[in-house]
Amino acid sequence: MDLQLEGKIIVVTGGAKGIGDGIVKVLAGEGALPVIIGRNKEDNLKALDEISHKGNHVVAELTNPDECKKAIDAVLNMYGRIDGLVNNAGVNDGVNLENGDYDRFMASLHKNLVHYYLMAHWALPSLIQSKGAIVNISSKTAETGQGGTSAYAAANGGRNALTREWAVELLKYGVRVNAVIVAESYTPLYEKWIQTLPDPDEALKRITDKIPLGQRMTTTEEIGSTVAFLLSEKSSHTTGQLIHVDGGYVHLDRAL
Ligand SMILES: NC(=O)c1ccc[n+]([C@@H]2O[C@H](COP(=O)([O-])OP(=O)(O)OC[C@H]3O[C@@H](n4cnc5c(N)ncnc54)[C@H](O)[C@@H]3O)[C@@H](O)[C@H]2O)c1
């Protein structure tokens, strides 16, 4: 299937590493021009190197609202258009109910949710012009809970709600909005998290053994392929959907 993404300008937040990097690689493979928005110039350039610079990058710290606008302005200065936005940057930062506090809770919402809104807000005029699409990356924690991560779970609930909300608001423009929900994907963020557990190797085995399809983690390329499809015209009648690319983790029988 030709996704017809050739030459499309797709903004990918957090595109230098992990899931974002997987998305960027798939998009570049389809001939699109991904624009990585990330906080670390070296990381951005390394990821761009790996796709032979068929795309671009903007250095931005997305917890800073001004930098969200500047990032979109920079993309428009480079290309004059935006065909797709992938909101992906975030971190599972473990702000829990018992020992968390107001400042850490609010800071986590800025790390995980507020920039999703701001990036879509500033990119919207261009997306309306191009009849583009938005894909929000989200986490199973909104639906299953995880324990010990109130703010991150709340942010993911917000990501899912905004997906439906924007799908409705943008019907009149033909701009489609979908979410890809991830459960377990081994990325630099995941590795950092698993290393905080008492026995990381045992924990990793315990978790992967419970993933129904193949008892393995979802690869970042598998997530990238679904994102590319949702950005493309081949999914032209799909909007407001929360698509679980998780090997059946959230919905299949627990007795498996
Ligand atoms: N890894 C998983 O199993 C998993 C599961 C569910 C959801 N997710 C979601 O996927 C997304 C990506 O996760 P990942 O595991 O690939 O993370 P990662 O840390 O491996 O990669 C994220 C990239 O985004 C950048 N980034 C993060 N916050 C940023 C900010 N505020 N400003 C600029 N750059 C920023 C990081 O520097 C990094 O390059 C997150 O939003 C997370 O909620 C991941």
Side-chain angles (χ1 to χ4, degrees), residues 41-60:
K41 186 177 176 186
E42 283 69 43
D43 290 347
N44 293 354
L45 289 174
K46 185 168 173 287
L48 273 181
D49 252 1
E50 289 167 8
I51 57 164
S52 310
H53 289 260
K54 287 179 184 139
N56 221 317
H57 82 109
V58 178
V59 178

Side-chain angles (χ1 to χ4, degrees), residues 92-93 108 139 141-143 145-147 149-159:
N92 189 349
D93 51 0
S108 180
S139 157
T141 53
E143 297 159 296
Q146 188 176 65
T149 196
S150 296
Y152 181 69
N156 280 294
R159 291 168 172 183

